[in-house]
PDB file of all heavy atoms in Angstrom:
ATOM      1  N   ARG A 758      -5.256 -10.993  -1.243  1.00 97.00           N
ATOM      2  CA  ARG A 758      -6.339 -11.839  -0.876  1.00 97.00           C
ATOM      3  C   ARG A 758      -6.628 -11.602   0.580  1.00 97.00           C
ATOM      4  O   ARG A 758      -5.695 -11.723   1.455  1.00 97.00           O
ATOM      5  CB  ARG A 758      -5.867 -13.325  -1.048  1.00 97.00           C
ATOM      6  CG  ARG A 758      -6.924 -14.382  -0.529  1.00 97.00           C
ATOM      7  CD  ARG A 758      -8.165 -14.357  -1.344  1.00 97.00           C
ATOM      8  NE  ARG A 758      -9.089 -15.400  -0.921  1.00 97.00           N
ATOM      9  CZ  ARG A 758     -10.320 -15.613  -1.340  1.00 97.00           C
ATOM     10  NH1 ARG A 758     -10.728 -14.816  -2.367  1.00 97.00           N
ATOM     11  NH2 ARG A 758     -11.105 -16.610  -0.886  1.00 97.00           N
ATOM     12  N   MET A 759      -7.884 -11.275   0.950  1.00 97.00           N
ATOM     13  CA  MET A 759      -8.209 -10.972   2.346  1.00 97.00           C
ATOM     14  C   MET A 759      -9.307 -11.880   2.655  1.00 97.00           C
ATOM     15  O   MET A 759     -10.370 -12.013   2.076  1.00 97.00           O
ATOM     16  CB  MET A 759      -8.746  -9.514   2.416  1.00 97.00           C
ATOM     17  CG  MET A 759      -7.729  -8.468   1.848  1.00 97.00           C
ATOM     18  SD  MET A 759      -8.232  -6.794   2.112  1.00 97.00           S
ATOM     19  CE  MET A 759      -9.717  -6.692   1.105  1.00 97.00           C
ATOM     20  N   SER A 760      -9.151 -12.589   3.826  1.00 96.00           N
ATOM     21  CA  SER A 760     -10.118 -13.496   4.290  1.00 96.00           C
ATOM     22  C   SER A 760     -10.389 -13.231   5.744  1.00 96.00           C
ATOM     23  O   SER A 760      -9.712 -12.465   6.388  1.00 96.00           O
ATOM     24  CB  SER A 760      -9.659 -14.984   4.177  1.00 96.00           C
ATOM     25  OG  SER A 760      -8.465 -15.212   4.816  1.00 96.00           O
ATOM     26  N   SER A 761     -11.476 -13.839   6.290  1.00 95.00           N
ATOM     27  CA  SER A 761     -11.888 -13.603   7.721  1.00 95.00           C
ATOM     28  C   SER A 761     -11.910 -12.067   8.007  1.00 95.00           C
ATOM     29  O   SER A 761     -11.475 -11.614   9.001  1.00 95.00           O
ATOM     30  CB  SER A 761     -10.904 -14.288   8.678  1.00 95.00           C
ATOM     31  OG  SER A 761     -10.849 -15.667   8.386  1.00 95.00           O
ATOM     32  N   LEU A 762     -12.582 -11.334   7.028  1.00 96.00           N
ATOM     33  CA  LEU A 762     -12.596  -9.902   7.202  1.00 96.00           C
ATOM     34  C   LEU A 762     -13.315  -9.455   8.400  1.00 96.00           C
ATOM     35  O   LEU A 762     -14.304 -10.032   8.845  1.00 96.00           O
ATOM     36  CB  LEU A 762     -13.139  -9.316   5.932  1.00 96.00           C
ATOM     37  CG  LEU A 762     -12.184  -9.259   4.747  1.00 96.00           C
ATOM     38  CD1 LEU A 762     -12.912  -9.050   3.478  1.00 96.00           C
ATOM     39  CD2 LEU A 762     -11.171  -8.121   4.936  1.00 96.00           C
ATOM     40  N   LYS A 763     -12.793  -8.373   9.055  1.00 95.00           N
ATOM     41  CA  LYS A 763     -13.421  -7.783  10.164  1.00 95.00           C
ATOM     42  C   LYS A 763     -13.871  -6.358   9.902  1.00 95.00           C
ATOM     43  O   LYS A 763     -13.353  -5.738   8.925  1.00 95.00           O
ATOM     44  CB  LYS A 763     -12.280  -7.712  11.338  1.00 95.00           C
ATOM     45  CG  LYS A 763     -11.657  -9.037  11.632  1.00 95.00           C
ATOM     46  CD  LYS A 763     -10.550  -8.878  12.670  1.00 95.00           C
ATOM     47  CE  LYS A 763      -9.806 -10.198  12.981  1.00 95.00           C
ATOM     48  NZ  LYS A 763      -8.683 -10.015  13.968  1.00 95.00           N
ATOM     49  N   PRO A 764     -14.823  -5.834  10.667  1.00 95.00           N
ATOM     50  CA  PRO A 764     -15.251  -4.457  10.439  1.00 95.00           C
ATOM     51  C   PRO A 764     -14.046  -3.481  10.377  1.00 95.00           C
ATOM     52  O   PRO A 764     -14.093  -2.465   9.666  1.00 95.00           O
ATOM     53  CB  PRO A 764     -16.221  -4.270  11.563  1.00 95.00           C
ATOM     54  CG  PRO A 764     -16.768  -5.575  11.851  1.00 95.00           C
ATOM     55  CD  PRO A 764     -15.630  -6.513  11.691  1.00 95.00           C
ATOM     56  N   GLU A 765     -13.055  -3.746  11.212  1.00 93.00           N
ATOM     57  CA  GLU A 765     -11.948  -2.795  11.294  1.00 93.00           C
ATOM     58  C   GLU A 765     -11.066  -2.840  10.055  1.00 93.00           C
ATOM     59  O   GLU A 765     -10.117  -2.066   9.906  1.00 93.00           O
ATOM     60  CB  GLU A 765     -11.118  -2.997  12.563  1.00 93.00           C
ATOM     61  CG  GLU A 765     -10.631  -4.450  12.804  1.00 93.00           C
ATOM     62  CD  GLU A 765     -11.602  -5.174  13.696  1.00 93.00           C
ATOM     63  OE1 GLU A 765     -12.807  -5.020  13.615  1.00 93.00           O
ATOM     64  OE2 GLU A 765     -11.037  -5.965  14.535  1.00 93.00           O
ATOM     65  N   ASP A 766     -11.302  -3.778   9.159  1.00 95.00           N
ATOM     66  CA  ASP A 766     -10.537  -3.864   7.906  1.00 95.00           C
ATOM     67  C   ASP A 766     -11.088  -2.975   6.822  1.00 95.00           C
ATOM     68  O   ASP A 766     -10.524  -2.708   5.825  1.00 95.00           O
ATOM     69  CB  ASP A 766     -10.502  -5.239   7.346  1.00 95.00           C
ATOM     70  CG  ASP A 766      -9.745  -6.228   8.212  1.00 95.00           C
ATOM     71  OD1 ASP A 766      -8.654  -5.842   8.729  1.00 95.00           O
ATOM     72  OD2 ASP A 766     -10.205  -7.405   8.442  1.00 95.00           O
ATOM     73  N   ALA A 767     -12.288  -2.415   7.130  1.00 97.00           N
ATOM     74  CA  ALA A 767     -12.979  -1.529   6.162  1.00 97.00           C
ATOM     75  C   ALA A 767     -12.138  -0.260   5.931  1.00 97.00           C
ATOM     76  O   ALA A 767     -11.689   0.383   6.923  1.00 97.00           O
ATOM     77  CB  ALA A 767     -14.310  -1.120   6.751  1.00 97.00           C
ATOM     78  N   ALA A 768     -11.860   0.060   4.675  1.00 97.00           N
ATOM     79  CA  ALA A 768     -11.046   1.159   4.349  1.00 97.00           C
ATOM     80  C   ALA A 768     -11.016   1.360   2.825  1.00 97.00           C
ATOM     81  O   ALA A 768     -11.539   0.473   2.165  1.00 97.00           O
ATOM     82  CB  ALA A 768      -9.604   0.956   4.870  1.00 97.00           C
ATOM     83  N   VAL A 769     -10.398   2.345   2.362  1.00 98.00           N
ATOM     84  CA  VAL A 769     -10.046   2.490   0.941  1.00 98.00           C
ATOM     85  C   VAL A 769      -8.659   1.880   0.778  1.00 98.00           C
ATOM     86  O   VAL A 769      -7.732   2.224   1.544  1.00 98.00           O
ATOM     87  CB  VAL A 769     -10.070   3.879   0.419  1.00 98.00           C
ATOM     88  CG1 VAL A 769      -9.665   3.905  -1.004  1.00 98.00           C
ATOM     89  CG2 VAL A 769     -11.447   4.461   0.640  1.00 98.00           C
ATOM     90  N   TYR A 770      -8.537   0.851  -0.094  1.00 98.00           N
ATOM     91  CA  TYR A 770      -7.239   0.248  -0.229  1.00 98.00           C
ATOM     92  C   TYR A 770      -6.597   0.704  -1.558  1.00 98.00           C
ATOM     93  O   TYR A 770      -7.246   0.804  -2.599  1.00 98.00           O
ATOM     94  CB  TYR A 770      -7.471  -1.299  -0.359  1.00 98.00           C
ATOM     95  CG  TYR A 770      -7.744  -1.965   0.986  1.00 98.00           C
ATOM     96  CD1 TYR A 770      -8.957  -1.788   1.676  1.00 98.00           C
ATOM     97  CD2 TYR A 770      -6.721  -2.760   1.607  1.00 98.00           C
ATOM     98  CE1 TYR A 770      -9.124  -2.296   2.971  1.00 98.00           C
ATOM     99  CE2 TYR A 770      -6.947  -3.293   2.815  1.00 98.00           C
ATOM    100  CZ  TYR A 770      -8.114  -3.163   3.509  1.00 98.00           C
ATOM    101  OH  TYR A 770      -8.349  -3.659   4.725  1.00 98.00           O
ATOM    102  N   TYR A 771      -5.334   1.089  -1.435  1.00 98.00           N
ATOM    103  CA  TYR A 771      -4.552   1.617  -2.542  1.00 98.00           C
ATOM    104  C   TYR A 771      -3.431   0.780  -2.860  1.00 98.00           C
ATOM    105  O   TYR A 771      -2.731   0.248  -1.908  1.00 98.00           O
ATOM    106  CB  TYR A 771      -3.982   2.983  -2.182  1.00 98.00           C
ATOM    107  CG  TYR A 771      -5.046   4.042  -1.849  1.00 98.00           C
ATOM    108  CD1 TYR A 771      -5.515   4.272  -0.562  1.00 98.00           C
ATOM    109  CD2 TYR A 771      -5.564   4.908  -2.910  1.00 98.00           C
ATOM    110  CE1 TYR A 771      -6.451   5.172  -0.245  1.00 98.00           C
ATOM    111  CE2 TYR A 771      -6.492   5.829  -2.570  1.00 98.00           C
ATOM    112  CZ  TYR A 771      -6.978   6.048  -1.287  1.00 98.00           C
ATOM    113  OH  TYR A 771      -7.891   6.960  -1.009  1.00 98.00           O
ATOM    114  N   CYS A 772      -3.045   0.651  -4.118  1.00 96.00           N
ATOM    115  CA  CYS A 772      -1.793   0.036  -4.453  1.00 96.00           C
ATOM    116  C   CYS A 772      -0.806   1.151  -4.892  1.00 96.00           C
ATOM    117  O   CYS A 772      -1.215   2.277  -5.196  1.00 96.00           O
ATOM    118  CB  CYS A 772      -1.917  -0.984  -5.548  1.00 96.00           C
ATOM    119  SG  CYS A 772      -2.411  -0.388  -7.153  1.00 96.00           S
ATOM    120  N   ALA A 773       0.480   0.862  -4.665  1.00 95.00           N
ATOM    121  CA  ALA A 773       1.469   1.908  -4.907  1.00 95.00           C
ATOM    122  C   ALA A 773       2.741   1.240  -5.411  1.00 95.00           C
ATOM    123  O   ALA A 773       3.130   0.120  -5.052  1.00 95.00           O
ATOM    124  CB  ALA A 773       1.725   2.664  -3.586  1.00 95.00           C
ATOM    125  N   VAL A 774       3.521   2.029  -6.113  1.00 92.00           N
ATOM    126  CA  VAL A 774       4.886   1.658  -6.640  1.00 92.00           C
ATOM    127  C   VAL A 774       5.898   2.546  -6.033  1.00 92.00           C
ATOM    128  O   VAL A 774       5.685   3.749  -6.104  1.00 92.00           O
ATOM    129  CB  VAL A 774       4.840   1.780  -8.162  1.00 92.00           C
ATOM    130  CG1 VAL A 774       6.284   1.583  -8.696  1.00 92.00           C
ATOM    131  CG2 VAL A 774       3.960   0.602  -8.766  1.00 92.00           C
ATOM    132  N   PRO A 775       6.947   1.970  -5.514  1.00 91.00           N
ATOM    133  CA  PRO A 775       7.964   2.821  -4.864  1.00 91.00           C
ATOM    134  C   PRO A 775       8.853   3.555  -5.840  1.00 91.00           C
ATOM    135  O   PRO A 775       8.991   3.082  -7.007  1.00 91.00           O
ATOM    136  CB  PRO A 775       8.788   1.836  -4.041  1.00 91.00           C
ATOM    137  CG  PRO A 775       8.634   0.535  -4.835  1.00 91.00           C
ATOM    138  CD  PRO A 775       7.309   0.564  -5.372  1.00 91.00           C
ATOM    139  N   LYS A 776       9.464   4.670  -5.407  1.00 87.00           N
ATOM    140  CA  LYS A 776      10.366   5.362  -6.240  1.00 87.00           C
ATOM    141  C   LYS A 776      11.640   4.529  -6.542  1.00 87.00           C
ATOM    142  O   LYS A 776      12.218   4.599  -7.605  1.00 87.00           O
ATOM    143  CB  LYS A 776      10.858   6.667  -5.546  1.00 87.00           C
ATOM    144  CG  LYS A 776       9.677   7.623  -5.288  1.00 87.00           C
ATOM    145  CD  LYS A 776      10.166   8.882  -4.426  1.00 87.00           C
ATOM    146  CE  LYS A 776       9.029   9.660  -3.977  1.00 87.00           C
ATOM    147  NZ  LYS A 776       9.484  10.805  -3.189  1.00 87.00           N
ATOM    148  N   ASP A 777      12.063   3.860  -5.538  1.00 86.00           N
ATOM    149  CA  ASP A 777      13.373   3.125  -5.558  1.00 86.00           C
ATOM    150  C   ASP A 777      13.171   1.748  -5.157  1.00 86.00           C
ATOM    151  O   ASP A 777      13.380   1.412  -3.983  1.00 86.00           O
ATOM    152  CB  ASP A 777      14.357   3.909  -4.663  1.00 86.00           C
ATOM    153  CG  ASP A 777      15.769   3.228  -4.748  1.00 86.00           C
ATOM    154  OD1 ASP A 777      15.995   2.329  -5.542  1.00 86.00           O
ATOM    155  OD2 ASP A 777      16.577   3.552  -3.808  1.00 86.00           O
ATOM    156  N   PRO A 778      12.960   0.784  -6.080  1.00 83.00           N
ATOM    157  CA  PRO A 778      12.702  -0.609  -5.724  1.00 83.00           C
ATOM    158  C   PRO A 778      14.005  -1.267  -5.115  1.00 83.00           C
ATOM    159  O   PRO A 778      13.915  -2.200  -4.376  1.00 83.00           O
ATOM    160  CB  PRO A 778      12.297  -1.244  -7.011  1.00 83.00           C
ATOM    161  CG  PRO A 778      12.869  -0.346  -8.095  1.00 83.00           C
ATOM    162  CD  PRO A 778      12.831   1.045  -7.537  1.00 83.00           C
ATOM    163  N   VAL A 779      15.169  -0.671  -5.393  1.00 83.00           N
ATOM    164  CA  VAL A 779      16.392  -1.290  -4.887  1.00 83.00           C
ATOM    165  C   VAL A 779      16.392  -1.237  -3.327  1.00 83.00           C
ATOM    166  O   VAL A 779      16.816  -2.256  -2.715  1.00 83.00           O
ATOM    167  CB  VAL A 779      17.594  -0.549  -5.461  1.00 83.00           C
ATOM    168  CG1 VAL A 779      18.891  -1.036  -4.795  1.00 83.00           C
ATOM    169  CG2 VAL A 779      17.691  -0.684  -6.981  1.00 83.00           C
ATOM    170  N   ASN A 780      15.915  -0.147  -2.748  1.00 85.00           N
ATOM    171  CA  ASN A 780      15.850  -0.026  -1.312  1.00 85.00           C
ATOM    172  C   ASN A 780      14.518  -0.396  -0.691  1.00 85.00           C
ATOM    173  O   ASN A 780      14.219  -0.011   0.401  1.00 85.00           O
ATOM    174  CB  ASN A 780      16.289   1.359  -0.946  1.00 85.00           C
ATOM    175  CG  ASN A 780      17.708   1.746  -1.320  1.00 85.00           C
ATOM    176  OD1 ASN A 780      18.616   0.992  -0.974  1.00 85.00           O
ATOM    177  ND2 ASN A 780      17.848   2.828  -1.978  1.00 85.00           N
ATOM    178  N   TYR A 781      13.869  -1.090  -1.453  1.00 88.00           N
ATOM    179  CA  TYR A 781      12.422  -1.360  -1.026  1.00 88.00           C
ATOM    180  C   TYR A 781      12.356  -2.122   0.306  1.00 88.00           C
ATOM    181  O   TYR A 781      11.488  -1.863   1.163  1.00 88.00           O
ATOM    182  CB  TYR A 781      11.734  -2.248  -2.085  1.00 88.00           C
ATOM    183  CG  TYR A 781      10.309  -2.589  -1.778  1.00 88.00           C
ATOM    184  CD1 TYR A 781       9.237  -1.638  -1.763  1.00 88.00           C
ATOM    185  CD2 TYR A 781       9.938  -3.929  -1.507  1.00 88.00           C
ATOM    186  CE1 TYR A 781       7.952  -2.021  -1.550  1.00 88.00           C
ATOM    187  CE2 TYR A 781       8.638  -4.277  -1.294  1.00 88.00           C
ATOM    188  CZ  TYR A 781       7.686  -3.316  -1.301  1.00 88.00           C
ATOM    189  OH  TYR A 781       6.354  -3.671  -0.981  1.00 88.00           O
ATOM    190  N   SER A 782      13.244  -3.059   0.602  1.00 86.00           N
ATOM    191  CA  SER A 782      13.232  -3.804   1.846  1.00 86.00           C
ATOM    192  C   SER A 782      13.453  -2.928   3.091  1.00 86.00           C
ATOM    193  O   SER A 782      13.139  -3.335   4.153  1.00 86.00           O
ATOM    194  CB  SER A 782      14.206  -4.955   1.717  1.00 86.00           C
ATOM    195  OG  SER A 782      15.536  -4.446   1.626  1.00 86.00           O
ATOM    196  N   SER A 783      14.004  -1.774   2.843  1.00 87.00           N
ATOM    197  CA  SER A 783      14.306  -0.907   4.001  1.00 87.00           C
ATOM    198  C   SER A 783      13.287   0.217   4.194  1.00 87.00           C
ATOM    199  O   SER A 783      13.262   0.789   5.256  1.00 87.00           O
ATOM    200  CB  SER A 783      15.704  -0.372   3.879  1.00 87.00           C
ATOM    201  OG  SER A 783      15.862   0.452   2.794  1.00 87.00           O
ATOM    202  N   ASN A 784      12.427   0.452   3.256  1.00 90.00           N
ATOM    203  CA  ASN A 784      11.525   1.588   3.371  1.00 90.00           C
ATOM    204  C   ASN A 784      10.079   1.296   2.813  1.00 90.00           C
ATOM    205  O   ASN A 784       9.337   2.174   2.478  1.00 90.00           O
ATOM    206  CB  ASN A 784      12.122   2.779   2.651  1.00 90.00           C
ATOM    207  CG  ASN A 784      12.293   2.633   1.204  1.00 90.00           C
ATOM    208  OD1 ASN A 784      11.897   1.690   0.632  1.00 90.00           O
ATOM    209  ND2 ASN A 784      12.971   3.533   0.566  1.00 90.00           N
ATOM    210  N   TYR A 785       9.711   0.000   2.825  1.00 91.00           N
ATOM    211  CA  TYR A 785       8.515  -0.356   2.123  1.00 91.00           C
ATOM    212  C   TYR A 785       7.273   0.211   2.817  1.00 91.00           C
ATOM    213  O   TYR A 785       6.231   0.315   2.210  1.00 91.00           O
ATOM    214  CB  TYR A 785       8.335  -1.914   2.045  1.00 91.00           C
ATOM    215  CG  TYR A 785       8.471  -2.615   3.338  1.00 91.00           C
ATOM    216  CD1 TYR A 785       7.407  -2.713   4.168  1.00 91.00           C
ATOM    217  CD2 TYR A 785       9.732  -3.196   3.739  1.00 91.00           C
ATOM    218  CE1 TYR A 785       7.536  -3.339   5.391  1.00 91.00           C
ATOM    219  CE2 TYR A 785       9.812  -3.918   4.985  1.00 91.00           C
ATOM    220  CZ  TYR A 785       8.737  -3.940   5.821  1.00 91.00           C
ATOM    221  OH  TYR A 785       8.846  -4.670   6.957  1.00 91.00           O
ATOM    222  N   ASP A 786       7.348   0.586   4.132  1.00 91.00           N
ATOM    223  CA  ASP A 786       6.236   1.091   4.793  1.00 91.00           C
ATOM    224  C   ASP A 786       6.227   2.558   4.993  1.00 91.00           C
ATOM    225  O   ASP A 786       5.491   3.150   5.756  1.00 91.00           O
ATOM    226  CB  ASP A 786       6.078   0.417   6.147  1.00 91.00           C
ATOM    227  CG  ASP A 786       7.269   0.543   6.999  1.00 91.00           C
ATOM    228  OD1 ASP A 786       8.316   1.030   6.505  1.00 91.00           O
ATOM    229  OD2 ASP A 786       7.233   0.152   8.194  1.00 91.00           O
ATOM    230  N   ASP A 787       7.092   3.211   4.196  1.00 91.00           N
ATOM    231  CA  ASP A 787       7.329   4.709   4.295  1.00 91.00           C
ATOM    232  C   ASP A 787       6.558   5.331   3.153  1.00 91.00           C
ATOM    233  O   ASP A 787       6.910   5.244   2.031  1.00 91.00           O
ATOM    234  CB  ASP A 787       8.823   4.948   4.225  1.00 91.00           C
ATOM    235  CG  ASP A 787       9.129   6.385   4.602  1.00 91.00           C
ATOM    236  OD1 ASP A 787       8.278   7.132   5.041  1.00 91.00           O
ATOM    237  OD2 ASP A 787      10.305   6.784   4.323  1.00 91.00           O
ATOM    238  N   LEU A 788       5.571   6.147   3.517  1.00 93.00           N
ATOM    239  CA  LEU A 788       4.753   6.782   2.477  1.00 93.00           C
ATOM    240  C   LEU A 788       5.503   7.606   1.466  1.00 93.00           C
ATOM    241  O   LEU A 788       5.276   7.464   0.302  1.00 93.00           O
ATOM    242  CB  LEU A 788       3.679   7.647   3.139  1.00 93.00           C
ATOM    243  CG  LEU A 788       2.373   6.953   3.645  1.00 93.00           C
ATOM    244  CD1 LEU A 788       1.607   7.966   4.489  1.00 93.00           C
ATOM    245  CD2 LEU A 788       1.623   6.385   2.521  1.00 93.00           C
ATOM    246  N   PRO A 789       6.482   8.408   1.916  1.00 93.00           N
ATOM    247  CA  PRO A 789       7.225   9.230   1.018  1.00 93.00           C
ATOM    248  C   PRO A 789       8.037   8.448  -0.054  1.00 93.00           C
ATOM    249  O   PRO A 789       8.587   8.976  -0.975  1.00 93.00           O
ATOM    250  CB  PRO A 789       8.166  10.129   1.872  1.00 93.00           C
ATOM    251  CG  PRO A 789       7.410  10.166   3.139  1.00 93.00           C
ATOM    252  CD  PRO A 789       6.809   8.786   3.238  1.00 93.00           C
ATOM    253  N   ALA A 790       8.224   7.101   0.288  1.00 93.00           N
ATOM    254  CA  ALA A 790       9.025   6.301  -0.601  1.00 93.00           C
ATOM    255  C   ALA A 790       8.269   5.948  -1.926  1.00 93.00           C
ATOM    256  O   ALA A 790       8.925   5.381  -2.823  1.00 93.00           O
ATOM    257  CB  ALA A 790       9.454   5.069   0.084  1.00 93.00           C
ATOM    258  N   TYR A 791       6.979   6.317  -1.955  1.00 94.00           N
ATOM    259  CA  TYR A 791       6.225   5.851  -3.105  1.00 94.00           C
ATOM    260  C   TYR A 791       6.018   6.980  -4.048  1.00 94.00           C
ATOM    261  O   TYR A 791       5.730   8.145  -3.795  1.00 94.00           O
ATOM    262  CB  TYR A 791       4.891   5.342  -2.586  1.00 94.00           C
ATOM    263  CG  TYR A 791       5.072   4.013  -1.981  1.00 94.00           C
ATOM    264  CD1 TYR A 791       5.432   3.911  -0.607  1.00 94.00           C
ATOM    265  CD2 TYR A 791       4.938   2.749  -2.697  1.00 94.00           C
ATOM    266  CE1 TYR A 791       5.726   2.662  -0.060  1.00 94.00           C
ATOM    267  CE2 TYR A 791       5.183   1.589  -2.113  1.00 94.00           C
ATOM    268  CZ  TYR A 791       5.558   1.504  -0.735  1.00 94.00           C
ATOM    269  OH  TYR A 791       5.863   0.255  -0.184  1.00 94.00           O
ATOM    270  N   GLU A 792       6.034   6.591  -5.318  1.00 92.00           N
ATOM    271  CA  GLU A 792       5.915   7.552  -6.473  1.00 92.00           C
ATOM    272  C   GLU A 792       4.562   7.564  -7.151  1.00 92.00           C
ATOM    273  O   GLU A 792       4.097   8.537  -7.545  1.00 92.00           O
ATOM    274  CB  GLU A 792       7.031   7.249  -7.493  1.00 92.00           C
ATOM    275  CG  GLU A 792       7.116   8.267  -8.623  1.00 92.00           C
ATOM    276  CD  GLU A 792       8.387   8.044  -9.465  1.00 92.00           C
ATOM    277  OE1 GLU A 792       9.016   6.999  -9.348  1.00 92.00           O
ATOM    278  OE2 GLU A 792       8.777   8.897 -10.233  1.00 92.00           O
ATOM    279  N   TYR A 793       3.981   6.357  -7.238  1.00 92.00           N
ATOM    280  CA  TYR A 793       2.736   6.282  -7.994  1.00 92.00           C
ATOM    281  C   TYR A 793       1.733   5.514  -7.106  1.00 92.00           C
ATOM    282  O   TYR A 793       1.984   4.537  -6.342  1.00 92.00           O
ATOM    283  CB  TYR A 793       3.006   5.386  -9.272  1.00 92.00           C
ATOM    284  CG  TYR A 793       3.949   6.044 -10.202  1.00 92.00           C
ATOM    285  CD1 TYR A 793       5.265   5.548 -10.380  1.00 92.00           C
ATOM    286  CD2 TYR A 793       3.602   7.174 -10.990  1.00 92.00           C
ATOM    287  CE1 TYR A 793       6.103   6.089 -11.249  1.00 92.00           C
ATOM    288  CE2 TYR A 793       4.475   7.726 -11.872  1.00 92.00           C
ATOM    289  CZ  TYR A 793       5.776   7.178 -11.984  1.00 92.00           C
ATOM    290  OH  TYR A 793       6.629   7.804 -12.812  1.00 92.00           O
ATOM    291  N   TRP A 794       0.465   6.045  -7.301  1.00 96.00           N
ATOM    292  CA  TRP A 794      -0.632   5.491  -6.409  1.00 96.00           C
ATOM    293  C   TRP A 794      -1.804   5.213  -7.393  1.00 96.00           C
ATOM    294  O   TRP A 794      -2.012   5.984  -8.416  1.00 96.00           O
ATOM    295  CB  TRP A 794      -1.070   6.506  -5.469  1.00 96.00           C
ATOM    296  CG  TRP A 794      -0.057   6.695  -4.370  1.00 96.00           C
ATOM    297  CD1 TRP A 794       1.021   7.571  -4.372  1.00 96.00           C
ATOM    298  CD2 TRP A 794       0.051   6.055  -3.148  1.00 96.00           C
ATOM    299  NE1 TRP A 794       1.748   7.506  -3.248  1.00 96.00           N
ATOM    300  CE2 TRP A 794       1.204   6.580  -2.439  1.00 96.00           C
ATOM    301  CE3 TRP A 794      -0.691   5.026  -2.498  1.00 96.00           C
ATOM    302  CZ2 TRP A 794       1.585   6.091  -1.103  1.00 96.00           C
ATOM    303  CZ3 TRP A 794      -0.367   4.573  -1.229  1.00 96.00           C
ATOM    304  CH2 TRP A 794       0.788   5.111  -0.561  1.00 96.00           C
ATOM    305  N   GLY A 795      -2.596   4.209  -7.052  1.00 96.00           N
ATOM    306  CA  GLY A 795      -3.795   4.042  -7.759  1.00 96.00           C
ATOM    307  C   GLY A 795      -4.871   4.902  -7.174  1.00 96.00           C
ATOM    308  O   GLY A 795      -4.639   5.592  -6.220  1.00 96.00           O
ATOM    309  N   GLN A 796      -6.128   4.730  -7.693  1.00 97.00           N
ATOM    310  CA  GLN A 796      -7.227   5.522  -7.232  1.00 97.00           C
ATOM    311  C   GLN A 796      -7.877   5.048  -5.992  1.00 97.00           C
ATOM    312  O   GLN A 796      -8.670   5.792  -5.386  1.00 97.00           O
ATOM    313  CB  GLN A 796      -8.183   5.813  -8.417  1.00 97.00           C
ATOM    314  CG  GLN A 796      -9.272   4.601  -8.524  1.00 97.00           C
ATOM    315  CD  GLN A 796      -8.625   3.354  -9.093  1.00 97.00           C
ATOM    316  OE1 GLN A 796      -7.463   3.357  -9.532  1.00 97.00           O
ATOM    317  NE2 GLN A 796      -9.397   2.298  -9.099  1.00 97.00           N
ATOM    318  N   GLY A 797      -7.651   3.846  -5.685  1.00 97.00           N
ATOM    319  CA  GLY A 797      -8.225   3.133  -4.479  1.00 97.00           C
ATOM    320  C   GLY A 797      -9.461   2.424  -4.793  1.00 97.00           C
ATOM    321  O   GLY A 797     -10.182   2.712  -5.746  1.00 97.00           O
ATOM    322  N   THR A 798      -9.724   1.458  -3.976  1.00 98.00           N
ATOM    323  CA  THR A 798     -10.938   0.621  -4.047  1.00 98.00           C
ATOM    324  C   THR A 798     -11.475   0.410  -2.656  1.00 98.00           C
ATOM    325  O   THR A 798     -10.712   0.181  -1.706  1.00 98.00           O
ATOM    326  CB  THR A 798     -10.686  -0.755  -4.764  1.00 98.00           C
ATOM    327  OG1 THR A 798     -11.897  -1.456  -4.883  1.00 98.00           O
ATOM    328  CG2 THR A 798      -9.675  -1.632  -3.926  1.00 98.00           C
ATOM    329  N   GLN A 799     -12.766   0.713  -2.500  1.00 98.00           N
ATOM    330  CA  GLN A 799     -13.414   0.760  -1.236  1.00 98.00           C
ATOM    331  C   GLN A 799     -13.686  -0.707  -0.719  1.00 98.00           C
ATOM    332  O   GLN A 799     -14.372  -1.466  -1.463  1.00 98.00           O
ATOM    333  CB  GLN A 799     -14.694   1.531  -1.271  1.00 98.00           C
ATOM    334  CG  GLN A 799     -15.535   1.533   0.085  1.00 98.00           C
ATOM    335  CD  GLN A 799     -14.829   2.429   1.107  1.00 98.00           C
ATOM    336  OE1 GLN A 799     -14.486   3.531   0.926  1.00 98.00           O
ATOM    337  NE2 GLN A 799     -14.644   1.795   2.307  1.00 98.00           N
ATOM    338  N   VAL A 800     -13.379  -1.009   0.510  1.00 98.00           N
ATOM    339  CA  VAL A 800     -13.693  -2.273   1.126  1.00 98.00           C
ATOM    340  C   VAL A 800     -14.618  -1.920   2.293  1.00 98.00           C
ATOM    341  O   VAL A 800     -14.237  -1.156   3.229  1.00 98.00           O
ATOM    342  CB  VAL A 800     -12.503  -3.085   1.568  1.00 98.00           C
ATOM    343  CG1 VAL A 800     -12.908  -4.252   2.444  1.00 98.00           C
ATOM    344  CG2 VAL A 800     -11.711  -3.498   0.344  1.00 98.00           C
TER     345      VAL A 800
END
């Protein structure tokens, strides 16, 4: 849920599933930690 949107929020937004959910709390912002990606949705 995105509110008070700003022009700088414009982007393609992707959802992703990590390879190893057990260690998610330590690498959630690490791109290589993800195994599956959606096609993206433009905002």
Side-chain angles (χ1 to χ4, degrees):
R758 174 70 178 176
M759 306 185 294
S760 59
S761 301
L762 282 162
K763 305 174 182 179
E765 53 263 42
D766 293 319
V769 178
Y770 283 72
Y771 299 89
C772 66
V774 168
K776 299 174 186 176
D777 179 12
V779 173
N780 294 312
Y781 181 69
S782 61
S783 62
N784 61 12
Y785 55 81
D786 57 353
D787 188 11
L788 278 172
Y791 288 83
E792 183 171 16
Y793 298 105
W794 295 86
Q796 82 289 350
T798 185
Q799 177 72 53
V800 171

